Amino acid sequence: MHDGWRRSLSKNTLSLSVGSAIAKILGKNIQKSNRFDPVVKLWVFEELVNGKKLTEIINKEHENVKYLPGHKLPKNVVAVADAAEAATGADILIFVIPHQFITRTCDQIAGHVKSGAFGISLIKGVDEGPEGLKLISDIIRDKLKIEVSVLMGANIAGEVADEMFCETTIGCKNDKHGKIFKELLQTPNFRITVVDDCDTVEICGALKNIVALGAGFCDGLDFGDNTKAAVIRLGLMEMVAFAKLFCRGPVAIATFLESCGVADLITTCYGGRNRKVSEAFVRTGKSIEELEKDMLNGQKLQGPQTSAEVYKILKQKNMVDKFPLFTRVYQVCYEGKPVKEFISCLQNHPQHI
């Protein structure tokens, strides 16, 4: 990059806590640089909070009072309610929305994306395409015709916003783009590793939410730490096996040792919302939908839908029996399988996949 080279950014998010935490990092880093446009546009799904529009609250109080309360956003982060407006003129697009909304969002901005723009996705999920697995980054590439990298890691939003030390992983095949993303997002307490094993990085971010549901079932059933450790280990085995089956090109086992792999898996299985809600699912008998409303302040779980999409793919490939933990989580969430029978998928799990 030559001196004076500037990029405009569009922060594409549904006001979720992770999106606001990343916007805080972006805003601060850009204030210290003369190589980027100083304004970060934050797309916010408009809603009323205490009778006021959320965008207006953010732009006046510089705080996402609903999804990341108590954390001030830099003044150069500007909330907008229109996705197309956020994308117009931007050279870099950052996607942080629930994965079930990505197709609709891309359709909204498709005619407004600047030629030569590129993006990075923080979205943790997969989709079922006509030929099987479809990554969220693939949907963005197909819809917007841009190059897309991914960022995944053990990054609980509140801790990131509190500037507690953590690591994250960027999967990026373009060395120049990887350096730009690292400059935009790295801080002393948000350490980034860039790898070129993009598909594995992204699949880790999706599959760990399924395992976290299993960990929550264990907590709700009071199975203890030994059983939960087994869920994490067996879940990791299934993550590796799934990646080897469905990733394009070779899968680097070392990627599973990055933040996107084992670190994110451990964090999610102990502190993530999928674990918390699945524990409550066991203890209260309420449905997942009810618990989302009760516990998540309008946000959505990614684990159940990801388990459904993965199950469809495995069934299509006649591989359901090779992934007993993924399969049992799906059956509990969608087929009424008694959660008390969850332990059987561990007892009968093969030594190797």
Side-chain angles (χ1 to χ4, degrees), residues 214-232 269-270 275 279 283 342-343 346:
F217 294 157
C218 284
D219 290 341
L221 293 164
D222 295 317
F223 280 163
D225 289 337
N226 292 338
T227 306
K228 189 170 178 178
V231 168
I232 294 171
C269 287
Y270 279 90
R275 187 216 63 79
E279 178 184 2
R283 296 193 186 280
F342 177 72
I343 190 70
L346 308 179

Side-chain angles (χ1 to χ4, degrees), residues 176-189:
K176 181 179 177 181
H177 291 177
K179 290 176 180 176
I180 293 170
F181 290 132
K182 195 165 184 176
E183 180 180 358
L184 282 171
L185 294 167
Q186 183 161 265
T187 74
N189 288 321

